Amino acid sequence: MKKSLTPESSTELLQILQKRFEKNMDRHPNISWETVAKSLQQNPEKLYIINEMEETEGEPDVVSLSKSSEDIIFVDCAAESPKGRRSFCYDQDALDSRKEHKPKHSAIGFAKEIGITLLNEEEYHTLQSYGKFDLKTSTWLATPAAVRDLGGAIFGDRRYNRVFIYHNGAESYYAARGFRGKIIL
């Protein structure tokens, strides 16, 4: 069953998204709001997913993640990792491995539930080129299989005016670590 918003909720969300879009034109210099709005109106199930991003305090906005792509991509642009998506370990295997003090969910699992995917390392660096994100928090990133197969996962943050990518055990979780996601229209 496809999920959709009520007409009132759709209108309210579109107003929020338009205001954010117009305030941050540097994130999407070659895309017009009219194009975005038309695409959202044609894809109510994706508007629903973007609402889930908004509800978990991700502050989604259109971000040009590639100079060659003309895709409309919504990315979590909250200054810090979204509050409604923190204190998660990396994935279901990591969650299952914890014998006690389990977090409430995993980043990969929750992202799948709401219909988004985690940013990868390159996309995270691109997002950071549009502003200063994660000055106090950190963000789980899509982890290469070679790292995950060994029990690890990667995350990023910005400290000392520089973007850092680190590693941690995938089963770890912290109150200041969440995840950012994206959805392509």
Side-chain angles (χ1 to χ4, degrees):
M1 178 175 87
K2 290 185 179 180
K3 298 178 180 178
S4 61
L5 299 172
T6 65
E8 298 81 18
S9 295
S10 293
T11 299
E12 183 180 331
L13 179 58
L14 286 168
Q15 289 171 347
I16 291 168
L17 296 174
Q18 181 177 5
K19 183 176 180 183
R20 188 174 296 137
F21 182 92
E22 291 171 350
K23 182 179 178 186
N24 298 286
M25 293 302 293
D26 61 313
R27 295 177 184 163
H28 37 258
N30 300 317
I31 302 171
S32 71
W33 174 251
E34 292 73 26
T35 302
V36 173
K38 182 178 179 183
S39 184
L40 287 170
Q41 291 164 346
Q42 292 172 346
N43 294 288
E45 68 283 354
K46 292 193 176 181
L47 186 61
Y48 181 87
I49 293 167
I50 293 167
N51 187 66
E52 294 292 302
M53 295 169 78
E54 184 72 21
E55 290 291 316
T56 54
E57 300 184 50
E59 299 180 23
D61 192 14
V62 177
V63 175
S64 296
L65 292 177
S66 168
K67 292 181 181 181
S68 62
S69 174
E70 293 185 19
D71 289 332
I72 299 172
I73 305 170
F74 273 87
V75 175
D76 291 304
C77 292
E80 302 298 339
S81 193
K83 288 182 184 178
R85 293 187 244 143
R86 294 184 193 165
S87 298
F88 295 157
C89 61
Y90 182 71
D91 61 12
Q92 188 63 43
D93 288 344
L95 186 61
D96 292 343
S97 76
R98 292 198 62 102
K99 302 300 179 214
E100 54 186 42
H101 308 294
K102 287 184 181 248
K104 58 186 171 184
H105 213 317
S106 71
I108 295 291
F110 194 72
K112 186 176 180 180
E113 279 182 20
I114 64 175
I116 61 177
T117 56
L118 271 64
L119 297 181
N120 64 34
E121 187 174 350
E122 181 181 341
E123 293 165 338
Y124 188 72
H125 277 285
T126 300
L127 175 65
Q128 288 281 4
S129 74
Y130 293 113
K132 294 181 178 180
F133 300 94
D134 292 323
L135 296 173
K136 299 175 188 171
T137 58
S138 61
T139 293
W140 284 118
L141 301 173
T143 298
V147 173
R148 186 61 195 101
D149 290 346
L150 296 172
I154 62 173
F155 65 94
D157 64 24
R158 179 186 284 271
R159 304 290 192 272
Y160 308 107
N161 245 353
R162 181 181 176 136
V163 177
F164 290 93
I165 305 298
Y166 306 90
H167 61 87
N168 216 172
E171 73 286 348
S172 66
Y173 67 99
Y174 301 94
R177 181 172 308 146
F179 71 91
R180 293 175 186 276
K182 67 177 182 180
I183 183 170
I184 301 172
L185 297 187

